[in-house]
Structures are given as C-alpha cells and as structure tokens.
Amino acid sequence: MAHLFAKTRLLEAKIDEYLDHTSEVGLLFVEAVKDYLEHRHDEFESRRRHVTELERHADDLRKGIERQLYAETLIPESRGDVLGILEHTDTVINAVKMTLMRMSAERPQIPEGLARDYVELADYGCRAVQELVAGIRGFFRGAASVSDCVHKVAFWEKEADKIVERLRRDIFQADFDLSRKMHLGEFVMRIGMVSDAAEEVSDRLAISAIKRSI
C-alpha cells in the first residue's frame, strides 16, 4: 500500500500527535488503576486529570484534522475511512476518561483479593490500545503490519473477556451484599470496555485496510 499522506506531511504530523495522545491515555489508564488499588489517591487524581487534559487536546486535534481534510479537499478517496477511524478512536479515549472519573467520584471498595485481577484487566486494555495505535500508524504509512496489529488487539480483548468473566463470577459468589456486588461488577465492565472499544476500532481499521489493498 502507498503512503496515505505522501503530499500532506502537516496533516500526518497532527494525526501522529493525536495517536501519541491515545497511546499515552492507555498507559496512564493502567497506572491510574494501580494507584487507586494501592491507595495512592493523589497520584491517581493526578493521572486522571492528565487523561482529561489529553482527551481535551486530542478532541481539538481531531476536529482540526477534520476541518483540514474538508477545507483543503485532501485525500478525498480515503477521507471517509480516515475520519471514521479517528472518530471511533475517540471512543477509546472517552472510555478511559469516564472510567477514571467514575472511580474518582464513586470510590468503589475493591477487596485486596481481587485487586490483582482488576489491574490485569486494565493492563490488557492498555495492551489492546497500544496495538490499535500501532495498527492505525501502519494504515496511514502503508505498512503491511496492520493485520498483525488487528490480530493482537483481538487477542488482548479476548484475554480481557476471560478476566471479566472470572471477576464477575468471584464477585457474585462472594459474601458481599447485593449493592456492593453490583457496584464492583459495574467497574469490572467499565474497565473491560477499554479493550472492547479498541477492538471495535480495529475491526473498522481492518475493513479500511482491505479496501485500500484492492
């Protein structure tokens, strides 16, 4: 595949910055969850605020990219795919932001015995995000690695699903009252949504890559 932005380097730089933010949000996510579970609340709040700042900046970047694509009629043959991928990548960033915001506001009381699984679930979400970012960069640069990255996103999403199922089973079989079970279970689903969102974008990325290769 040819380089998508051979004549639009400034646009490519903006998209690179957007993807840098997406990657950093994924890395901050798992570290913030660790901070929360190890009761480092100042560090947790600092990372949560950092994610919010990155989300805001990424949103501005995405809107600027959209305006430039339309105003300068750049890459008209691939514009729909590019915009679709970036818009859906925004759902990954939002999933991280909303999960951390609700952890901050609701302060779920997660038992120590389950903390390791919560961290592992967040870690798999982070890994899915990193593979997604690598795949999107590959798509824009015409690399052959897109399908490999899409496969790895799916792998980490499936691993995350296993943790979700195990955690929910452990929670609902434990001797907690029902309201606590529901609260803990909700945060399992919320953390798991990060890898789900990454997989949804990677599915779209795979289709776009196939279209470009025809």
Side-chain angles (χ1 to χ4, degrees), residues 5-41:
F5 297 116
K7 297 179 180 177
T8 54
R9 295 297 182 189
L10 180 59
L11 184 63
E12 182 181 13
K14 288 181 181 177
I15 291 177
D16 260 337
E17 188 176 0
Y18 178 84
L19 293 174
D20 286 345
H21 286 357
T22 305
S23 172
E24 189 169 349
V25 164
L27 294 168
L28 285 165
F29 177 55
V30 66
E31 294 305 318
V33 170
K34 285 180 191 173
D35 286 335
Y36 181 86
L37 292 169
E38 293 173 12
H39 310 293
R40 297 190 294 265
H41 291 299

PDB file of all heavy atoms in Angstrom, residues 5-41:
ATOM      1  N   PHE A   5      -0.234   9.787   3.179  1.00  0.00           N
ATOM      2  CA  PHE A   5      -0.016  11.225   3.314  1.00  0.00           C
ATOM      3  C   PHE A   5       1.270  11.688   2.626  1.00  0.00           C
ATOM      4  O   PHE A   5       1.986  12.527   3.145  1.00  0.00           O
ATOM      5  CB  PHE A   5       0.027  11.621   4.781  1.00  0.00           C
ATOM      6  CG  PHE A   5      -1.268  11.364   5.479  1.00  0.00           C
ATOM      7  CD1 PHE A   5      -1.325  10.448   6.506  1.00  0.00           C
ATOM      8  CD2 PHE A   5      -2.417  12.012   5.096  1.00  0.00           C
ATOM      9  CE1 PHE A   5      -2.519  10.210   7.147  1.00  0.00           C
ATOM     10  CE2 PHE A   5      -3.623  11.783   5.729  1.00  0.00           C
ATOM     11  CZ  PHE A   5      -3.669  10.880   6.761  1.00  0.00           C
ATOM     12  N   ALA A   6       1.542  11.127   1.462  1.00  0.00           N
ATOM     13  CA  ALA A   6       2.789  11.457   0.778  1.00  0.00           C
ATOM     14  C   ALA A   6       2.931  12.949   0.520  1.00  0.00           C
ATOM     15  O   ALA A   6       4.024  13.481   0.477  1.00  0.00           O
ATOM     16  CB  ALA A   6       2.868  10.682  -0.540  1.00  0.00           C
ATOM     17  N   LYS A   7       1.791  13.668   0.322  1.00  0.00           N
ATOM     18  CA  LYS A   7       1.852  15.090  -0.007  1.00  0.00           C
ATOM     19  C   LYS A   7       1.251  15.965   1.092  1.00  0.00           C
ATOM     20  O   LYS A   7       1.015  17.147   0.889  1.00  0.00           O
ATOM     21  CB  LYS A   7       1.127  15.345  -1.333  1.00  0.00           C
ATOM     22  CG  LYS A   7       1.774  14.623  -2.519  1.00  0.00           C
ATOM     23  CD  LYS A   7       0.992  14.898  -3.803  1.00  0.00           C
ATOM     24  CE  LYS A   7       1.650  14.168  -4.979  1.00  0.00           C
ATOM     25  NZ  LYS A   7       0.891  14.348  -6.228  1.00  0.00           N
ATOM     26  N   THR A   8       0.979  15.405   2.229  1.00  0.00           N
ATOM     27  CA  THR A   8       0.317  16.175   3.285  1.00  0.00           C
ATOM     28  C   THR A   8       1.008  15.902   4.626  1.00  0.00           C
ATOM     29  O   THR A   8       0.408  15.357   5.532  1.00  0.00           O
ATOM     30  CB  THR A   8      -1.164  15.802   3.373  1.00  0.00           C
ATOM     31  OG1 THR A   8      -1.262  14.375   3.529  1.00  0.00           O
ATOM     32  CG2 THR A   8      -1.922  16.217   2.135  1.00  0.00           C
ATOM     33  N   ARG A   9       2.270  16.307   4.718  1.00  0.00           N
ATOM     34  CA  ARG A   9       3.058  16.000   5.915  1.00  0.00           C
ATOM     35  C   ARG A   9       2.538  16.682   7.171  1.00  0.00           C
ATOM     36  O   ARG A   9       2.634  16.142   8.265  1.00  0.00           O
ATOM     37  CB  ARG A   9       4.519  16.405   5.676  1.00  0.00           C
ATOM     38  CG  ARG A   9       5.198  15.601   4.573  1.00  0.00           C
ATOM     39  CD  ARG A   9       5.287  14.129   4.932  1.00  0.00           C
ATOM     40  NE  ARG A   9       5.976  13.369   3.898  1.00  0.00           N
ATOM     41  CZ  ARG A   9       6.043  12.053   3.864  1.00  0.00           C
ATOM     42  NH1 ARG A   9       5.436  11.344   4.796  1.00  0.00           N
ATOM     43  NH2 ARG A   9       6.706  11.438   2.907  1.00  0.00           N
ATOM     44  N   LEU A  10       2.002  17.909   7.017  1.00  0.00           N
ATOM     45  CA  LEU A  10       1.496  18.615   8.188  1.00  0.00           C
ATOM     46  C   LEU A  10       0.313  17.854   8.791  1.00  0.00           C
ATOM     47  O   LEU A  10       0.201  17.710  10.009  1.00  0.00           O
ATOM     48  CB  LEU A  10       1.072  20.036   7.814  1.00  0.00           C
ATOM     49  CG  LEU A  10       0.521  20.885   8.960  1.00  0.00           C
ATOM     50  CD1 LEU A  10       1.567  21.027  10.071  1.00  0.00           C
ATOM     51  CD2 LEU A  10       0.094  22.267   8.463  1.00  0.00           C
ATOM     52  N   LEU A  11      -0.551  17.356   7.923  1.00  0.00           N
ATOM     53  CA  LEU A  11      -1.699  16.573   8.391  1.00  0.00           C
ATOM     54  C   LEU A  11      -1.222  15.297   9.081  1.00  0.00           C
ATOM     55  O   LEU A  11      -1.742  14.897  10.131  1.00  0.00           O
ATOM     56  CB  LEU A  11      -2.600  16.233   7.207  1.00  0.00           C
ATOM     57  CG  LEU A  11      -3.897  15.493   7.531  1.00  0.00           C
ATOM     58  CD1 LEU A  11      -4.798  16.341   8.416  1.00  0.00           C
ATOM     59  CD2 LEU A  11      -4.631  15.125   6.255  1.00  0.00           C
ATOM     60  N   GLU A  12      -0.225  14.661   8.516  1.00  0.00           N
ATOM     61  CA  GLU A  12       0.322  13.450   9.112  1.00  0.00           C
ATOM     62  C   GLU A  12       0.874  13.737  10.511  1.00  0.00           C
ATOM     63  O   GLU A  12       0.689  12.941  11.437  1.00  0.00           O
ATOM     64  CB  GLU A  12       1.430  12.871   8.242  1.00  0.00           C
ATOM     65  CG  GLU A  12       1.992  11.569   8.818  1.00  0.00           C
ATOM     66  CD  GLU A  12       3.113  11.004   7.960  1.00  0.00           C
ATOM     67  OE1 GLU A  12       3.605  11.730   7.071  1.00  0.00           O
ATOM     68  OE2 GLU A  12       3.489   9.850   8.184  1.00  0.00           O
ATOM     69  N   ALA A  13       1.520  14.901  10.665  1.00  0.00           N
ATOM     70  CA  ALA A  13       2.068  15.255  11.983  1.00  0.00           C
ATOM     71  C   ALA A  13       0.956  15.414  13.011  1.00  0.00           C
ATOM     72  O   ALA A  13       1.093  14.994  14.174  1.00  0.00           O
ATOM     73  CB  ALA A  13       2.879  16.550  11.870  1.00  0.00           C
ATOM     74  N   LYS A  14      -0.165  16.009  12.598  1.00  0.00           N
ATOM     75  CA  LYS A  14      -1.292  16.173  13.519  1.00  0.00           C
ATOM     76  C   LYS A  14      -1.882  14.822  13.925  1.00  0.00           C
ATOM     77  O   LYS A  14      -2.229  14.600  15.085  1.00  0.00           O
ATOM     78  CB  LYS A  14      -2.382  17.029  12.859  1.00  0.00           C
ATOM     79  CG  LYS A  14      -2.033  18.491  12.719  1.00  0.00           C
ATOM     80  CD  LYS A  14      -3.193  19.249  12.070  1.00  0.00           C
ATOM     81  CE  LYS A  14      -2.857  20.721  11.894  1.00  0.00           C
ATOM     82  NZ  LYS A  14      -3.943  21.440  11.192  1.00  0.00           N
ATOM     83  N   ILE A  15      -1.997  13.937  12.949  1.00  0.00           N
ATOM     84  CA  ILE A  15      -2.540  12.607  13.262  1.00  0.00           C
ATOM     85  C   ILE A  15      -1.574  11.842  14.169  1.00  0.00           C
ATOM     86  O   ILE A  15      -1.993  11.146  15.102  1.00  0.00           O
ATOM     87  CB  ILE A  15      -2.842  11.837  11.962  1.00  0.00           C
ATOM     88  CG1 ILE A  15      -4.029  12.488  11.256  1.00  0.00           C
ATOM     89  CG2 ILE A  15      -3.124  10.372  12.242  1.00  0.00           C
ATOM     90  CD1 ILE A  15      -4.385  11.870   9.930  1.00  0.00           C
ATOM     91  N   ASP A  16      -0.285  12.002  13.935  1.00  0.00           N
ATOM     92  CA  ASP A  16       0.706  11.360  14.811  1.00  0.00           C
ATOM     93  C   ASP A  16       0.557  11.854  16.250  1.00  0.00           C
ATOM     94  O   ASP A  16       0.640  11.069  17.197  1.00  0.00           O
ATOM     95  CB  ASP A  16       2.123  11.647  14.309  1.00  0.00           C
ATOM     96  CG  ASP A  16       2.692  10.466  13.529  1.00  0.00           C
ATOM     97  OD1 ASP A  16       2.215   9.333  13.747  1.00  0.00           O
ATOM     98  OD2 ASP A  16       3.575  10.679  12.706  1.00  0.00           O
ATOM     99  N   GLU A  17       0.344  13.166  16.390  1.00  0.00           N
ATOM    100  CA  GLU A  17       0.179  13.728  17.737  1.00  0.00           C
ATOM    101  C   GLU A  17      -1.096  13.180  18.388  1.00  0.00           C
ATOM    102  O   GLU A  17      -1.109  12.856  19.577  1.00  0.00           O
ATOM    103  CB  GLU A  17       0.129  15.259  17.665  1.00  0.00           C
ATOM    104  CG  GLU A  17       0.147  15.913  19.047  1.00  0.00           C
ATOM    105  CD  GLU A  17       0.186  17.422  18.962  1.00  0.00           C
ATOM    106  OE1 GLU A  17       0.203  17.984  17.844  1.00  0.00           O
ATOM    107  OE2 GLU A  17       0.185  18.058  20.051  1.00  0.00           O
ATOM    108  N   TYR A  18      -2.155  13.070  17.597  1.00  0.00           N
ATOM    109  CA  TYR A  18      -3.411  12.506  18.108  1.00  0.00           C
ATOM    110  C   TYR A  18      -3.188  11.066  18.593  1.00  0.00           C
ATOM    111  O   TYR A  18      -3.653  10.673  19.675  1.00  0.00           O
ATOM    112  CB  TYR A  18      -4.470  12.548  17.005  1.00  0.00           C
ATOM    113  CG  TYR A  18      -5.788  11.947  17.401  1.00  0.00           C
ATOM    114  CD1 TYR A  18      -6.733  12.696  18.088  1.00  0.00           C
ATOM    115  CD2 TYR A  18      -6.090  10.620  17.093  1.00  0.00           C
ATOM    116  CE1 TYR A  18      -7.947  12.136  18.463  1.00  0.00           C
ATOM    117  CE2 TYR A  18      -7.293  10.061  17.464  1.00  0.00           C
ATOM    118  CZ  TYR A  18      -8.219  10.818  18.143  1.00  0.00           C
ATOM    119  OH  TYR A  18      -9.414  10.256  18.518  1.00  0.00           O
ATOM    120  N   LEU A  19      -2.460  10.291  17.810  1.00  0.00           N
ATOM    121  CA  LEU A  19      -2.205   8.893  18.196  1.00  0.00           C
ATOM    122  C   LEU A  19      -1.260   8.806  19.396  1.00  0.00           C
ATOM    123  O   LEU A  19      -1.379   7.903  20.228  1.00  0.00           O
ATOM    124  CB  LEU A  19      -1.651   8.120  17.002  1.00  0.00           C
ATOM    125  CG  LEU A  19      -2.643   7.944  15.844  1.00  0.00           C
ATOM    126  CD1 LEU A  19      -1.959   7.294  14.647  1.00  0.00           C
ATOM    127  CD2 LEU A  19      -3.849   7.107  16.287  1.00  0.00           C
ATOM    128  N   ASP A  20      -0.317   9.761  19.503  1.00  0.00           N
ATOM    129  CA  ASP A  20       0.538   9.809  20.707  1.00  0.00           C
ATOM    130  C   ASP A  20      -0.325   9.984  21.954  1.00  0.00           C
ATOM    131  O   ASP A  20      -0.096   9.340  22.985  1.00  0.00           O
ATOM    132  CB  ASP A  20       1.526  10.986  20.610  1.00  0.00           C
ATOM    133  CG  ASP A  20       2.657  10.722  19.628  1.00  0.00           C
ATOM    134  OD1 ASP A  20       2.855   9.565  19.231  1.00  0.00           O
ATOM    135  OD2 ASP A  20       3.337  11.700  19.244  1.00  0.00           O
ATOM    136  N   HIS A  21      -1.306  10.874  21.848  1.00  0.00           N
ATOM    137  CA  HIS A  21      -2.210  11.108  22.995  1.00  0.00           C
ATOM    138  C   HIS A  21      -2.995   9.837  23.328  1.00  0.00           C
ATOM    139  O   HIS A  21      -3.181   9.497  24.497  1.00  0.00           O
ATOM    140  CB  HIS A  21      -3.187  12.238  22.678  1.00  0.00           C
ATOM    141  CG  HIS A  21      -2.563  13.599  22.696  1.00  0.00           C
ATOM    142  ND1 HIS A  21      -1.250  13.832  23.027  1.00  0.00           N
ATOM    143  CD2 HIS A  21      -3.084  14.818  22.437  1.00  0.00           C
ATOM    144  CE1 HIS A  21      -0.990  15.112  22.962  1.00  0.00           C
ATOM    145  NE2 HIS A  21      -2.076  15.739  22.606  1.00  0.00           N
ATOM    146  N   THR A  22      -3.473   9.163  22.282  1.00  0.00           N
ATOM    147  CA  THR A  22      -4.253   7.932  22.510  1.00  0.00           C
ATOM    148  C   THR A  22      -3.399   6.884  23.225  1.00  0.00           C
ATOM    149  O   THR A  22      -3.843   6.239  24.185  1.00  0.00           O
ATOM    150  CB  THR A  22      -4.746   7.367  21.165  1.00  0.00           C
ATOM    151  OG1 THR A  22      -5.467   8.381  20.456  1.00  0.00           O
ATOM    152  CG2 THR A  22      -5.643   6.162  21.373  1.00  0.00           C
ATOM    153  N   SER A  23      -2.161   6.726  22.762  1.00  0.00           N
ATOM    154  CA  SER A  23      -1.257   5.766  23.388  1.00  0.00           C
ATOM    155  C   SER A  23      -0.989   6.138  24.849  1.00  0.00           C
ATOM    156  O   SER A  23      -1.030   5.282  25.744  1.00  0.00           O
ATOM    157  CB  SER A  23       0.066   5.730  22.608  1.00  0.00           C
ATOM    158  OG  SER A  23       1.012   4.963  23.299  1.00  0.00           O
ATOM    159  N   GLU A  24      -0.743   7.418  25.096  1.00  0.00           N
ATOM    160  CA  GLU A  24      -0.433   7.861  26.461  1.00  0.00           C
ATOM    161  C   GLU A  24      -1.635   7.669  27.395  1.00  0.00           C
ATOM    162  O   GLU A  24      -1.464   7.286  28.556  1.00  0.00           O
ATOM    163  CB  GLU A  24       0.015   9.329  26.450  1.00  0.00           C
ATOM    164  CG  GLU A  24       0.569   9.781  27.793  1.00  0.00           C
ATOM    165  CD  GLU A  24       1.244  11.138  27.707  1.00  0.00           C
ATOM    166  OE1 GLU A  24       1.462  11.637  26.582  1.00  0.00           O
ATOM    167  OE2 GLU A  24       1.543  11.690  28.779  1.00  0.00           O
ATOM    168  N   VAL A  25      -2.836   7.908  26.868  1.00  0.00           N
ATOM    169  CA  VAL A  25      -4.039   7.679  27.673  1.00  0.00           C
ATOM    170  C   VAL A  25      -4.114   6.214  28.106  1.00  0.00           C
ATOM    171  O   VAL A  25      -4.438   5.905  29.258  1.00  0.00           O
ATOM    172  CB  VAL A  25      -5.301   8.085  26.876  1.00  0.00           C
ATOM    173  CG1 VAL A  25      -6.569   7.507  27.501  1.00  0.00           C
ATOM    174  CG2 VAL A  25      -5.408   9.604  26.817  1.00  0.00           C
ATOM    175  N   GLY A  26      -3.795   5.298  27.177  1.00  0.00           N
ATOM    176  CA  GLY A  26      -3.804   3.876  27.521  1.00  0.00           C
ATOM    177  C   GLY A  26      -2.795   3.541  28.604  1.00  0.00           C
ATOM    178  O   GLY A  26      -3.087   2.780  29.537  1.00  0.00           O
ATOM    179  N   LEU A  27      -1.589   4.123  28.512  1.00  0.00           N
ATOM    180  CA  LEU A  27      -0.548   3.862  29.513  1.00  0.00           C
ATOM    181  C   LEU A  27      -0.931   4.455  30.870  1.00  0.00           C
ATOM    182  O   LEU A  27      -0.719   3.837  31.925  1.00  0.00           O
ATOM    183  CB  LEU A  27       0.783   4.454  29.037  1.00  0.00           C
ATOM    184  CG  LEU A  27       1.376   3.796  27.783  1.00  0.00           C
ATOM    185  CD1 LEU A  27       2.529   4.640  27.226  1.00  0.00           C
ATOM    186  CD2 LEU A  27       1.857   2.381  28.080  1.00  0.00           C
ATOM    187  N   LEU A  28      -1.521   5.673  30.839  1.00  0.00           N
ATOM    188  CA  LEU A  28      -1.939   6.307  32.091  1.00  0.00           C
ATOM    189  C   LEU A  28      -3.060   5.517  32.760  1.00  0.00           C
ATOM    190  O   LEU A  28      -3.155   5.479  33.995  1.00  0.00           O
ATOM    191  CB  LEU A  28      -2.413   7.741  31.818  1.00  0.00           C
ATOM    192  CG  LEU A  28      -1.307   8.759  31.547  1.00  0.00           C
ATOM    193  CD1 LEU A  28      -1.905  10.034  30.936  1.00  0.00           C
ATOM    194  CD2 LEU A  28      -0.557   9.100  32.830  1.00  0.00           C
ATOM    195  N   PHE A  29      -3.900   4.900  31.941  1.00  0.00           N
ATOM    196  CA  PHE A  29      -5.048   4.151  32.469  1.00  0.00           C
ATOM    197  C   PHE A  29      -4.596   3.054  33.433  1.00  0.00           C
ATOM    198  O   PHE A  29      -5.050   2.990  34.583  1.00  0.00           O
ATOM    199  CB  PHE A  29      -5.822   3.547  31.292  1.00  0.00           C
ATOM    200  CG  PHE A  29      -6.982   2.685  31.689  1.00  0.00           C
ATOM    201  CD1 PHE A  29      -7.968   3.173  32.524  1.00  0.00           C
ATOM    202  CD2 PHE A  29      -7.099   1.389  31.197  1.00  0.00           C
ATOM    203  CE1 PHE A  29      -9.061   2.370  32.876  1.00  0.00           C
ATOM    204  CE2 PHE A  29      -8.171   0.597  31.538  1.00  0.00           C
ATOM    205  CZ  PHE A  29      -9.158   1.087  32.379  1.00  0.00           C
ATOM    206  N   VAL A  30      -3.698   2.212  32.986  1.00  0.00           N
ATOM    207  CA  VAL A  30      -3.293   1.090  33.842  1.00  0.00           C
ATOM    208  C   VAL A  30      -2.535   1.589  35.073  1.00  0.00           C
ATOM    209  O   VAL A  30      -2.709   1.047  36.180  1.00  0.00           O
ATOM    210  CB  VAL A  30      -2.478   0.042  33.042  1.00  0.00           C
ATOM    211  CG1 VAL A  30      -1.158   0.591  32.581  1.00  0.00           C
ATOM    212  CG2 VAL A  30      -2.275  -1.223  33.848  1.00  0.00           C
ATOM    213  N   GLU A  31      -1.734   2.643  34.924  1.00  0.00           N
ATOM    214  CA  GLU A  31      -1.011   3.167  36.091  1.00  0.00           C
ATOM    215  C   GLU A  31      -1.977   3.808  37.085  1.00  0.00           C
ATOM    216  O   GLU A  31      -1.782   3.700  38.311  1.00  0.00           O
ATOM    217  CB  GLU A  31       0.043   4.186  35.632  1.00  0.00           C
ATOM    218  CG  GLU A  31       1.157   3.586  34.797  1.00  0.00           C
ATOM    219  CD  GLU A  31       1.866   2.424  35.493  1.00  0.00           C
ATOM    220  OE1 GLU A  31       2.126   2.540  36.701  1.00  0.00           O
ATOM    221  OE2 GLU A  31       2.134   1.407  34.822  1.00  0.00           O
ATOM    222  N   ALA A  32      -3.021   4.465  36.575  1.00  0.00           N
ATOM    223  CA  ALA A  32      -4.014   5.077  37.465  1.00  0.00           C
ATOM    224  C   ALA A  32      -4.778   4.007  38.247  1.00  0.00           C
ATOM    225  O   ALA A  32      -5.045   4.177  39.446  1.00  0.00           O
ATOM    226  CB  ALA A  32      -4.983   5.935  36.655  1.00  0.00           C
ATOM    227  N   VAL A  33      -5.129   2.915  37.584  1.00  0.00           N
ATOM    228  CA  VAL A  33      -5.841   1.829  38.273  1.00  0.00           C
ATOM    229  C   VAL A  33      -4.945   1.236  39.361  1.00  0.00           C
ATOM    230  O   VAL A  33      -5.397   0.957  40.484  1.00  0.00           O
ATOM    231  CB  VAL A  33      -6.298   0.749  37.267  1.00  0.00           C
ATOM    232  CG1 VAL A  33      -6.820  -0.490  37.994  1.00  0.00           C
ATOM    233  CG2 VAL A  33      -7.387   1.312  36.352  1.00  0.00           C
ATOM    234  N   LYS A  34      -3.660   1.067  39.053  1.00  0.00           N
ATOM    235  CA  LYS A  34      -2.727   0.575  40.086  1.00  0.00           C
ATOM    236  C   LYS A  34      -2.685   1.541  41.266  1.00  0.00           C
ATOM    237  O   LYS A  34      -2.724   1.122  42.432  1.00  0.00           O
ATOM    238  CB  LYS A  34      -1.310   0.447  39.492  1.00  0.00           C
ATOM    239  CG  LYS A  34      -1.115  -0.737  38.576  1.00  0.00           C
ATOM    240  CD  LYS A  34       0.340  -0.725  38.084  1.00  0.00           C
ATOM    241  CE  LYS A  34       0.577  -1.692  36.960  1.00  0.00           C
ATOM    242  NZ  LYS A  34       1.935  -1.545  36.383  1.00  0.00           N
ATOM    243  N   ASP A  35      -2.575   2.836  40.971  1.00  0.00           N
ATOM    244  CA  ASP A  35      -2.534   3.838  42.048  1.00  0.00           C
ATOM    245  C   ASP A  35      -3.779   3.747  42.922  1.00  0.00           C
ATOM    246  O   ASP A  35      -3.700   3.795  44.149  1.00  0.00           O
ATOM    247  CB  ASP A  35      -2.432   5.254  41.461  1.00  0.00           C
ATOM    248  CG  ASP A  35      -1.048   5.556  40.908  1.00  0.00           C
ATOM    249  OD1 ASP A  35      -0.072   4.936  41.368  1.00  0.00           O
ATOM    250  OD2 ASP A  35      -0.955   6.416  40.004  1.00  0.00           O
ATOM    251  N   TYR A  36      -4.937   3.625  42.274  1.00  0.00           N
ATOM    252  CA  TYR A  36      -6.193   3.574  43.029  1.00  0.00           C
ATOM    253  C   TYR A  36      -6.198   2.355  43.961  1.00  0.00           C
ATOM    254  O   TYR A  36      -6.536   2.465  45.142  1.00  0.00           O
ATOM    255  CB  TYR A  36      -7.382   3.503  42.067  1.00  0.00           C
ATOM    256  CG  TYR A  36      -8.696   3.470  42.786  1.00  0.00           C
ATOM    257  CD1 TYR A  36      -9.320   4.659  43.168  1.00  0.00           C
ATOM    258  CD2 TYR A  36      -9.301   2.260  43.129  1.00  0.00           C
ATOM    259  CE1 TYR A  36     -10.518   4.638  43.866  1.00  0.00           C
ATOM    260  CE2 TYR A  36     -10.496   2.226  43.836  1.00  0.00           C
ATOM    261  CZ  TYR A  36     -11.095   3.414  44.190  1.00  0.00           C
ATOM    262  OH  TYR A  36     -12.284   3.377  44.901  1.00  0.00           O
ATOM    263  N   LEU A  37      -5.824   1.215  43.419  1.00  0.00           N
ATOM    264  CA  LEU A  37      -5.902  -0.026  44.203  1.00  0.00           C
ATOM    265  C   LEU A  37      -4.843  -0.081  45.300  1.00  0.00           C
ATOM    266  O   LEU A  37      -5.007  -0.802  46.287  1.00  0.00           O
ATOM    267  CB  LEU A  37      -5.770  -1.233  43.267  1.00  0.00           C
ATOM    268  CG  LEU A  37      -6.969  -1.414  42.322  1.00  0.00           C
ATOM    269  CD1 LEU A  37      -6.660  -2.448  41.254  1.00  0.00           C
ATOM    270  CD2 LEU A  37      -8.210  -1.827  43.120  1.00  0.00           C
ATOM    271  N   GLU A  38      -3.774   0.678  45.139  1.00  0.00           N
ATOM    272  CA  GLU A  38      -2.731   0.710  46.174  1.00  0.00           C
ATOM    273  C   GLU A  38      -2.853   1.967  47.033  1.00  0.00           C
ATOM    274  O   GLU A  38      -1.912   2.346  47.733  1.00  0.00           O
ATOM    275  CB  GLU A  38      -1.361   0.608  45.495  1.00  0.00           C
ATOM    276  CG  GLU A  38      -1.164  -0.760  44.833  1.00  0.00           C
ATOM    277  CD  GLU A  38       0.110  -0.866  44.006  1.00  0.00           C
ATOM    278  OE1 GLU A  38       0.973   0.033  44.120  1.00  0.00           O
ATOM    279  OE2 GLU A  38       0.220  -1.843  43.246  1.00  0.00           O
ATOM    280  N   HIS A  39      -4.035   2.601  46.951  1.00  0.00           N
ATOM    281  CA  HIS A  39      -4.402   3.726  47.834  1.00  0.00           C
ATOM    282  C   HIS A  39      -3.474   4.931  47.681  1.00  0.00           C
ATOM    283  O   HIS A  39      -3.282   5.681  48.640  1.00  0.00           O
ATOM    284  CB  HIS A  39      -4.434   3.262  49.299  1.00  0.00           C
ATOM    285  CG  HIS A  39      -5.239   2.006  49.502  1.00  0.00           C
ATOM    286  ND1 HIS A  39      -6.609   1.962  49.319  1.00  0.00           N
ATOM    287  CD2 HIS A  39      -4.854   0.729  49.807  1.00  0.00           C
ATOM    288  CE1 HIS A  39      -7.031   0.720  49.532  1.00  0.00           C
ATOM    289  NE2 HIS A  39      -5.996  -0.049  49.825  1.00  0.00           N
ATOM    290  N   ARG A  40      -2.917   5.142  46.499  1.00  0.00           N
ATOM    291  CA  ARG A  40      -2.128   6.351  46.221  1.00  0.00           C
ATOM    292  C   ARG A  40      -3.072   7.353  45.539  1.00  0.00           C
ATOM    293  O   ARG A  40      -3.014   7.564  44.325  1.00  0.00           O
ATOM    294  CB  ARG A  40      -0.936   6.009  45.318  1.00  0.00           C
ATOM    295  CG  ARG A  40       0.058   5.036  45.968  1.00  0.00           C
ATOM    296  CD  ARG A  40       1.344   4.930  45.122  1.00  0.00           C
ATOM    297  NE  ARG A  40       1.103   4.316  43.839  1.00  0.00           N
ATOM    298  CZ  ARG A  40       1.268   3.024  43.571  1.00  0.00           C
ATOM    299  NH1 ARG A  40       1.664   2.189  44.516  1.00  0.00           N
ATOM    300  NH2 ARG A  40       1.034   2.546  42.347  1.00  0.00           N
ATOM    301  N   HIS A  41      -3.944   7.944  46.328  1.00  0.00           N
ATOM    302  CA  HIS A  41      -5.037   8.710  45.745  1.00  0.00           C
ATOM    303  C   HIS A  41      -4.565  10.012  45.088  1.00  0.00           C
ATOM    304  O   HIS A  41      -5.161  10.441  44.094  1.00  0.00           O
ATOM    305  CB  HIS A  41      -6.112   8.968  46.799  1.00  0.00           C
ATOM    306  CG  HIS A  41      -6.836   7.719  47.205  1.00  0.00           C
ATOM    307  ND1 HIS A  41      -7.562   6.956  46.314  1.00  0.00           N
ATOM    308  CD2 HIS A  41      -6.885   7.058  48.384  1.00  0.00           C
ATOM    309  CE1 HIS A  41      -8.061   5.901  46.927  1.00  0.00           C
ATOM    310  NE2 HIS A  41      -7.651   5.930  48.190  1.00  0.00           N
TER     311      HIS A  41
END
